[in-house]
Amino acid sequence: MTVSLDQLRRCHVAVDLGAARTRVFVKGVGLVVDEPSVAAVNTRTGALIAVGALAEKMTGRTPDYIRVVRPVSGGTVVDIEMAQRMLRHLLGEKLRRQLRRKPRLRAAACTPHDSDPLAQRAAVETLVGLGARRVELVDTLIAAAVGCGLPVEQPTATMILVCGAATTQVAVLSLGAIVTAERMPVGGDAIDHAVIQHLRHHHELMLPSQSVRPLQLALSGNGLTAQGPAWTEIHGRDVATGLARSVTVDTAAVRDAIHTPLTAVLDGIGKVLRDCPPDLVADLADRGIMMVGGSALLPGLDQMLREATGMPVHIAERPDVCAVLGLGAMLEGKVQPMVLDPLAERDPLADED
């Protein structure tokens, strides 16, 4: 998965197939697709009914013969054929026609850190099925770090936390490469599930799992911190009667419920810091942690990490699209590697001799 910048500059399109959203960046055009990674299929005919936002709205609202599927799970393509069909419809006929005009279409794709060869092969097969002659794979951590403007090519430590829907990845980068990294199977979906289970067990209330993230309902404002609202009202369905009702929820109790899945994230950050060389840890004390990914926008999550680690925590300007924008910057040649030329340093001494 080590690919040079020269190889990436030859690519025409960059794809970030995430568990929650699919994003496509076309060289010279910009970000052209940013839609949920969801497709709705008619099981009787096999026809694709909807993709993206429209298919996501159908979740939990379809008759028996319509199935809503997610071809990507945890950053890994689990259904190659469905992922290809979904991408074709998201790109549209006009854009696909433009890409087909390329004599040798090259594509770049983000893959999670330490992904197995089968997962990498699935990503390659998905893009080859769309007409790509060659596919370059780039680690999501490096792409996201470039996308949020971190000086990854410099000999200083930068720490990045990629908060995805299914997984959370944390790494320390230096000289354009990963020094230490950890991948935790906890993401925004696990946090949402913790809130849903808390309301079900303690308030006998079922929340809808689509349209609006349950966590955003339960934690309006700055609910993950003690300064947030003490109580909030939630609307849902009664477990026993099936009727709609509202309950008043203590946000402190919800905060405790959320803390359980977040413990795994804190453990991963601690492990990365323990494995990191002391000189780089000293740099991180000043620079802190950069948060990217859709779940980085969780209200109060940055403050919780700040209190747990004692380090500065920053959220990127556009955390949800950092990975694909970083990959696009590599495609367009906006990233220059640090040039190390030890012979040039010895030239003056050679002249004196």
Side-chain angles (χ1 to χ4, degrees), residues 3 33 37 69 73 76 101-103 111 130 165 185 193 202 213 241 249 294 320 341:
V3 56
V33 173
S37 304
V69 296
S73 175
T76 302
R101 292 197 189 110
K102 308 287 184 185
T111 54
L130 292 175
H193 182 71
H202 294 84
R213 290 187 60 179
T241 65
V249 178
D320 50 341
D341 190 3

Side-chain angles (χ1 to χ4, degrees), residues 35-36 38-40 48-56 85-87 89-90:
E35 292 280 341
V38 189
L48 202 61
I49 297 173
V51 294
L54 181 57
E56 190 176 43
R85 295 175 69 185
M86 180 186 72
L87 267 175
H89 283 78
L90 287 177

Side-chain angles (χ1 to χ4, degrees), residues 104-163:
R104 288 186 61 83
L105 180 64
R106 290 181 175 227
C110 293
T111 54
H113 175 70
D114 205 19
S115 57
D116 57 83
L118 284 177
Q120 297 177 25
R121 183 67 180 173
V124 171
E125 289 290 335
T126 301
L127 297 182
V128 167
L130 292 175
R133 299 294 184 89
R134 184 181 175 91
V135 179
E136 309 290 356
L137 299 180
V138 179
D139 199 302
T140 303
L141 290 164
I142 294 178
V146 172
C148 61
L150 292 178
V152 291
E153 72 280 358
Q154 298 299 321
T156 55
T158 53
M159 191 171 191
I160 188 163
L161 184 71
V162 180
C163 309

